[in-house]
Amino acid sequence: DIHLTQSPSFLSASVGDRVIITCRASQVISSYLAWYQQKPGKAPKLLIYAASTLQSGVPSRFSGSASGAEFTLTISSLQPEDFATYYCQQPDSYPITFGQGTRLEIK
Amino acid sequence: EVQLVESGGGLVQPGGSLRLSCAASGFTFSDHYIDWVRQAPGKGLEWVGRSRNRAHSYTTESAASVKGRFTISRDDSKNSLYLQMKSLKTEDTALYYCARDGGDDVDAYDFWGQGTMVTVSS
């Protein structure tokens, strides 16, 4: 199984801050990685797929990158609606796996 | 508009069975892989299984934790996906989502349902 480790698990930040969340895969997964945002009581929402492609309708302050087995999600300037939990996912190797999540809260 | 609507959740005793449904609309159902993903209360996301599309003969994959107990099927004439769950355990308690894989262009879940809650308890 491909294990995904997100860091940090919890992050406290302020509106306007630049935030970086990291997802490290236990083995090389090429560029097959997605990022989701989940707010309380809601289904996850796709933000980025193929490591760096922004899903249609997602604000450009979200971006993704990859370097080997390490992937990052960057939010360039936090907005109030960005406080949520973020998950990475590898969609291509069975079993499909998710990171444990990063909870982003308002400082 | 793409929509996925889950139903069939509820309270069931350990060892019992339940069948979840996922009704799809707004897209060509037979063209897409559709997955089940669950989330235990206060926990993260866990992949349950997959139904491939018509082009891949509707074959399925399942997580090791549910293999032999859960069965995924679909009825394209009804635009519906099903999750037949048996021998349920307390650790199967979760919100169950169905999610659409976007296909070759979007290798990720581009649409999700709202989820249906399954509680396994005596």
Side-chain angles (χ1 to χ4, degrees), chain A residues 50-77:
Chain A
S52 60
T53 303
L54 200 65
Q55 171 67 343
S56 176
V58 174
S60 59
R61 62 180 179 273
F62 292 92
S63 64
S65 66
S67 177
E70 186 168 294
F71 300 82
T72 59
L73 171 70
T74 300
I75 310 173
S76 59
S77 178

Side-chain angles (χ1 to χ4, degrees), chain A residues 89-105:
Chain A
Q89 177 221 14
Q90 64 82 15
D92 216 56
S93 176
Y94 298 107
I96 291 168
T97 49
F98 292 87
Q100 82 278 13
T102 295
R103 185 177 172 190
L104 176 54
E105 292 200 342

Side-chain angles (χ1 to χ4, degrees), chain A residues 32 34 36 38 41-46 48-50 55 87 89 91-92 94-100, chain B residues 33 35 37 39 43-47 50 52 61 63 97 101 105-114:
Chain A
Y32 297 112
Y36 300 88
Q38 187 178 33
K42 300 293 186 182
K45 172 188 173 183
L46 177 63
I48 287 170
Y49 61 94
Q55 171 67 343
Y87 295 93
Q89 177 221 14
D92 216 56
Y94 298 107
I96 291 168
T97 49
F98 292 87
Q100 82 278 13
Chain B
Y33 293 9
D35 288 14
V37 177
Q39 187 168 36
K43 302 298 184 182
L45 301 168
E46 179 188 15
W47 177 75
R50 162 164 287 179
R52 294 186 178 89
E61 301 283 348
Y97 294 103
D101 185 276
D105 293 334
V106 180
D107 192 8
Y109 301 135
D110 58 354
F111 287 95
W112 297 66
Q114 84 290 348

Side-chain angles (χ1 to χ4, degrees), chain B residues 14-95:
Chain B
S17 299
L18 208 57
R19 187 200 197 203
L20 306 184
S21 299
C22 169
S25 59
F27 65 101
T28 304
F29 186 66
S30 60
D31 285 351
H32 287 267
Y33 293 9
I34 309 290
D35 288 14
W36 288 101
V37 177
R38 68 185 181 183
Q39 187 168 36
K43 302 298 184 182
L45 301 168
E46 179 188 15
W47 177 75
V48 173
R50 162 164 287 179
S51 171
R52 294 186 178 89
N53 57 14
R54 177 188 296 177
H56 290 88
S57 305
Y58 304 123
T59 53
T60 61
E61 301 283 348
S62 296
S65 59
V66 305
K67 198 162 287 187
R69 300 188 300 122
F70 291 10
T71 302
I72 297 172
S73 62
R74 64 196 286 169
D75 184 341
D76 283 0
S77 69
K78 297 181 178 179
N79 284 352
S80 292
L81 178 76
Y82 305 102
L83 182 66
Q84 179 68 52
M85 304 184 293
K86 65 178 184 179
S87 303
L88 282 160
K89 306 176 182 180
T90 55
E91 53 262 41
D92 295 319
T93 294
L95 185 63

